[in-house]
Amino acid sequence: MLAYVIRRVAQSVLVLFVVGLVAFAMFRFVGDPVDNMLGQERTQADIERLRETLGLDQPFPVQYWRFLGQAAQGNFGLSYRQGRPVADILMERLPATLELAFVSGLLALVGGIALGIFTAIRRRGAAANAIMTLSLIGVSLPTFLIGILLIYLFSVELGWLPSFGRGEVTGLGGWWTTGFLTQSGLKALILPAITLGLYQMTLIMRLVRTEMLEVLRTDYIRFARARGLRDRAINFHHALKNTLVPVITITGLQLGSIIAFAIITETVFQWPGVGLLFINAIQFVDIPVMAAYLMLISVMFVGINLIVDLLYFAIDPRLRVDRTAGRGT
Amino acid sequence: MTTPVLSVRDLVVEIPTRRGVLRPVDRVSFDIAAGEILGVVGESGAGKSMTGNAVIGLLDPPARIARGEVLLSGQPIQNIGREALRRLRGKRMGMIFQDPLTSLNPLLTVGEQLTETILEHMPVGNAEARRRAIAALEEVGIPAAAARIDSYPHEFSGGMRQRVVIALALCAEPDLVIADEPTTALDVSVQAQIVALLKRLCRERGVAVMLVTHDMGVIAEAADRVAVMYAGRLAEIGPVREVLTAARHPYTAGLMASTPLAGHGRRRLRQIPGAMPRLGALPPGCAFHPRCDRAEARCRQDPTPRVEDCGGRAACWFPLAAPADRQEAGA
Ligand SMILES: Nc1ncnc2c1ncn2[C@@H]1O[C@H](COP(=O)(O)OP(=O)(O)O)[C@@H](O)[C@H]1O
Ligand SMILES: [Mg+2]
């Protein structure tokens, strides 16, 4: 088990090194940082001096290594556009994205698993069939369209919910801002969270349903029925646990992609998170911000994957095979 | 005579399909007394599992009991409703499936699965349920049961897992156990042990056992009586010695001639020509007549014979003679 964990951590670190290389390459080869930093009136001497100060005269591997070292400490330099440390800008924006992703993820997970179980257990029922049909729409409509439809219905027509922004936020501990504590903050969360979570929710629901139907056909469920266990025990104890094993991996990946997908939702709702920051950074070719965003997202992705893999262990005893356990005949 | 634990009367199982109604079980009747093992044999697809599933109320829709009765200690149970039937399962009748590798939930310990079943059916608390679970494992011959109760199924070998399955089926002390090919998936070396275990539990506890199997050796070893099924119908039923050594139904005779039996030395094995008809294409009359060298016009024309219509032993208009008759004929 320990060997497995070490191997997975090593893989994760490797992935981060590669992403770091891409981010670094952006710095190095998309535009010239020296050009960006020096004004129009510059001499060749100025350029040489700045190159030396920035370490750009060093060999490529050395530069890459220094870049990683800086990145690991959260130092991505100054934003070309705002002239402030990129880390500060990201930290301001991160709470908005994380809160949105958290609510969407929760919605996708709870809603997806509950609906998946329901549609599997009552697979011949009218309600289950209706949900399955609706979910097809959920999967096939693009995210931005869902967002626009929701805005049209709930903001424009009904006027119940705001169509953009985060509402009123409260500062916490000087470095976090939350929309959870004010009514306008909570209201502002609803539409973006649904928009962002709907696709993942339908995916998780369909996955849970398929897995659950599969599990309900197995011999051990049949045997559990033959022992006269109650439907509740069979569905929620025996079947659900087995359903969740394969569901966990995909679900973990889905939750990871929520943070990435947030770019679209944040743009539609002008949500002041890192996704919107990234889109704006692209418009202004603000390389440090783009590179930092890339690194941040990949750290989250890799982190979630790692947690998912470890969860797998917690739930499935077959993976924690204790080879010393006796095997009698 | 005391009431049999299980009495099946003219049981008909039907599956409605687009091309008509299939009858995987057609007017089957048999009894099993307490402490008795009824072996059920027949080719794959003969309807053995369907019969067992119908008895315990676990037919997969659209299959359903269309007619007939299933009596458990004299009480009809074929239409008492889902919930009442569930209460009987485990408590009054248990079932053992073919593959011990897939019969146990891989994510729950053996102890969890046992205590859950005991708590469902017995008026006991957690501690007592655990004590009984350990006793159940001991009874089926799991060494160091108290230590192994918290193990997961994958930590047991195939033979041990089938013992666990048997412990699970018997832990709420049912009067009837249906064992559907309990040894087919096991190593030859452990098959005999499992059969011996079933036989011992049957004798000690007075459980009625319906033992479905392909294996004539298992039948000869364990069964008191044997029922032979063919195309959803009962071909022959009787005491195991008599059926094995002096079959009356031509199909049973053909089956015996094509099966190597221990103690019979090297025999020439003869295969019955042809194959069992599909359910959708059953011939009229006796389903076996196209393969039978004794068939006459009556076998094709008359309604399908039942065992009860032909003297209670073989469902055949022209059964093979009993040994006594044969000797007379030879003298
Ligand atoms: N859902 C179904 N639709 C049509 N035929 C079925 C279905 N399920 C089982 N059968 C048929 O029922 C017959 C009896 O099957 P089964 O009881 O499993 O046989 P056995 O256990 O003797 O091998 C087989 O011929 C099989 O093809
Ligand atoms: Mg079968």
Side-chain angles (χ1 to χ4, degrees):
Chain A
M1 158 125 195
L2 190 65
Y4 176 83
V5 173
I6 291 173
R7 200 166 66 236
R8 287 294 292 119
V9 171
Q11 282 169 356
S12 307
V13 170
L14 189 69
V15 169
L16 290 180
F17 268 87
V18 173
V19 175
L21 188 62
V22 173
F24 172 67
M26 274 169 51
F27 261 111
R28 197 63 188 77
F29 302 114
V30 181
D32 185 349
V34 177
D35 249 5
N36 286 318
M37 292 170 88
L38 289 177
Q40 288 297 319
E41 294 136 37
R42 59 192 174 196
T43 64
Q44 194 59 33
D46 285 339
I47 293 176
E48 291 303 326
R49 205 170 339 106
L50 187 57
R51 277 195 184 285
E52 219 166 292
T53 347
L54 289 178
L56 293 178
D57 55 340
Q58 304 277 332
F60 184 88
V62 175
Q63 288 187 39
Y64 172 49
W65 186 249
R66 292 221 322 233
F67 168 80
L68 284 181
Q70 294 288 313
Q73 295 164 39
N75 187 356
F76 291 92
L78 301 181
S79 157
Y80 294 166
R81 192 161 75 97
Q82 304 188 29
R84 297 165 52 211
V86 172
D88 292 355
I89 301 176
L90 275 180
M91 278 311 292
E92 278 168 27
R93 297 291 201 108
L94 202 54
T97 296
L98 287 184
E99 285 191 350
L100 176 61
F102 174 74
V103 175
S104 310
L106 205 65
L107 178 80
L109 206 58
V110 174
I113 291 179
L115 288 176
I117 294 171
F118 176 80
T119 50
I121 294 176
R122 303 236 184 286
R123 70 177 177 285
R124 288 178 224 278
N129 282 328
I131 292 171
M132 285 308 287
T133 312
L134 276 178
S135 79
L136 265 185
I137 302 174
V139 173
S140 50
L141 278 188
T143 306
F144 73 90
L145 200 58
I146 293 175
I148 290 170
L149 287 176
L150 287 177
I151 289 177
Y152 176 74
L153 190 63
F154 292 100
S155 307
V156 180
E157 287 296 317
L158 297 170
W160 290 350
L161 298 167
S163 63
F164 66 90
R166 235 188 133 186
E168 203 179 320
V169 294
T170 321
L172 285 181
W175 55 276
W176 187 272
T177 56
T178 181
F180 288 156
L181 299 178
T182 61
Q183 207 190 356
S184 74
L186 285 174
K187 273 174 122 176
L189 250 174
I190 297 176
L191 291 187
I194 293 177
T195 306
L196 184 54
L198 199 61
Y199 179 76
Q200 323 293 335
M201 185 177 91
T202 40
L203 275 188
I204 292 174
M205 176 192 114
R206 294 186 146 256
L207 186 71
V208 168
R209 175 177 183 274
T210 312
E211 278 305 326
M212 183 104 174
L213 286 178
E214 196 74 30
V215 169
L216 285 176
R217 272 196 292 272
T218 57
D219 283 355
Y220 55 82
I221 294 298
R222 221 181 148 66
F223 189 38
R225 284 196 205 294
R227 300 202 300 276
L229 299 183
R230 288 158 199 268
D231 282 349
R232 188 156 30 89
I234 289 171
N235 289 333
F236 293 99
H237 191 47
H238 285 256
L240 185 57
K241 214 170 173 187
N242 281 281
T243 300
L244 290 185
V245 173
V247 165
I248 281 179
T249 333
I250 311 278
T251 301
L253 291 178
Q254 290 306 321
L255 293 185
S257 63
I258 275 188
I259 294 181
F261 271 115
I263 294 181
I264 299 169
T265 307
E266 288 184 6
T267 311
V268 172
F269 289 92
Q270 289 297 302
W271 187 262
V274 287
L276 192 57
L277 179 73
F278 177 67
I279 290 290
N280 292 335
I282 290 178
Q283 281 164 6
F284 292 94
V285 201
D286 196 342
I287 304 285
V289 172
M290 288 163 66
Y293 175 82
L294 199 64
M295 290 297 285
L296 183 72
I297 294 295
S298 52
V299 166
M300 287 184 183
F301 244 101
V302 168
I304 288 175
N305 262 337
L306 198 59
I307 292 171
V308 163
D309 274 357
L310 299 183
L311 261 183
Y312 231 62
F313 263 109
I315 219 170
D316 193 339
R318 283 167 298 187
L319 294 177
R320 327 172 215 133
V321 173
D322 178 6
R323 305 209 182 275
T324 58
R327 287 174 65 91
T329 313
Chain B
M1 202 184 110
T2 51
T3 320
V5 173
L6 176 68
S7 232
V8 173
R9 290 278 156 267
D10 265 330
L11 182 70
V12 177
V13 173
E14 289 186 345
I15 305 177
T17 69
R18 260 172 290 153
R19 271 171 284 130
V21 177
L22 303 180
R23 282 193 171 182
V25 179
D26 191 2
R27 293 180 302 161
V28 166
S29 304
F30 59 88
D31 291 341
I32 311 179
E36 184 186 47
I37 299 182
L38 174 73
V40 178
V41 292
E43 288 166 63
S44 178
K48 308 180 296 290
S49 299
M50 280 281 175
T51 308
N53 291 341
V55 167
I56 202 166
L58 280 181
L59 285 174
D60 293 314
R64 61 184 189 93
I65 296 181
R67 274 198 281 134
E69 276 188 317
V70 178
L71 306 165
L72 195 60
S73 303
Q75 299 296 313
I77 60 165
Q78 76 277 3
N79 51 14
I80 55 172
R82 238 176 90 82
E83 177 60 14
L85 204 51
R86 178 190 69 73
R87 283 172 204 277
L88 293 183
R89 281 200 293 270
K91 175 92 190 107
R92 302 275 307 279
M93 50 190 180
M95 187 143 186
I96 298 166
F97 295 102
Q98 181 173 338
D99 191 350
L101 299 185
T102 57
S103 290
L104 298 170
N105 191 326
L107 301 190
L108 300 177
T109 66
V110 162
E112 282 169 323
Q113 301 186 49
L114 275 164
T115 46
E116 178 186 35
T117 311
I118 293 169
L119 287 171
E120 178 63 48
H121 296 296
M122 317 280 245
V124 297
N126 285 321
E128 173 63 11
R130 189 176 163 87
R131 206 190 55 71
R132 289 193 189 194
I134 294 172
L137 289 178
E138 275 165 357
E139 191 167 1
V140 297
I142 305 270
R148 304 212 61 191
I149 186 167
D150 294 315
S151 305
Y152 288 92
H154 72 265
E155 295 169 306
F156 292 84
S157 67
M160 280 295 154
R161 269 190 244 190
Q162 194 62 307
R163 287 172 190 262
V164 172
V165 168
I166 293 172
L168 270 164
L170 289 173
C171 66
E173 296 169 4
D175 318 316
L176 168 71
V177 169
I178 297 169
D180 193 349
E181 313 207 19
T183 59
T184 310
L186 298 177
D187 283 353
V188 180
S189 55
V190 293
Q191 284 182 358
Q193 295 172 19
I194 295 296
V195 171
L197 171 65
L198 272 176
K199 197 169 164 180
R200 196 192 87 216
L201 292 171
C202 168
R203 299 291 184 257
E204 286 176 8
R205 295 197 181 182
V207 181
V209 178
M210 176 176 162
L211 178 61
V212 175
T213 177
H214 273 116
D215 189 339
M216 285 299 172
V218 169
I219 294 288
E221 167 62 30
D224 302 299
R225 286 188 308 132
V226 58
V228 181
M229 288 191 73
Y230 185 79
R233 293 141 190 196
L234 205 55
E236 179 159 2
I237 184 166
V240 70
R241 282 283 138 242
E242 291 175 30
V243 174
L244 291 192
T245 56
R248 300 276 187 82
H249 197 291
Y251 174 65
T252 317
L255 201 60
M256 294 308 151
S258 65
T259 321
L261 253 188
H264 284 250
R266 283 173 154 274
R267 276 191 313 162
R268 267 242 323 267
L269 298 183
R270 275 176 293 114
Q271 215 59 44
I272 315 173
M276 191 170 74
R278 284 180 301 108
L279 287 180
L282 287 183
C286 171
F288 186 62
H289 84 247
R291 301 170 73 185
C292 181
D293 51 14
R294 299 167 68 87
E296 293 185 19
R298 185 177 185 193
C299 304
R300 293 181 278 273
Q301 288 157 6
D302 278 15
T304 308
R306 294 179 310 163
V307 171
E308 303 88 293
D309 305 328
C310 314
R313 168 78 184 269
C316 180
W317 300 126
F318 307 104
L320 296 158
D325 305 340
R326 280 183 216 174
Q327 273 164 16
E328 277 166 32

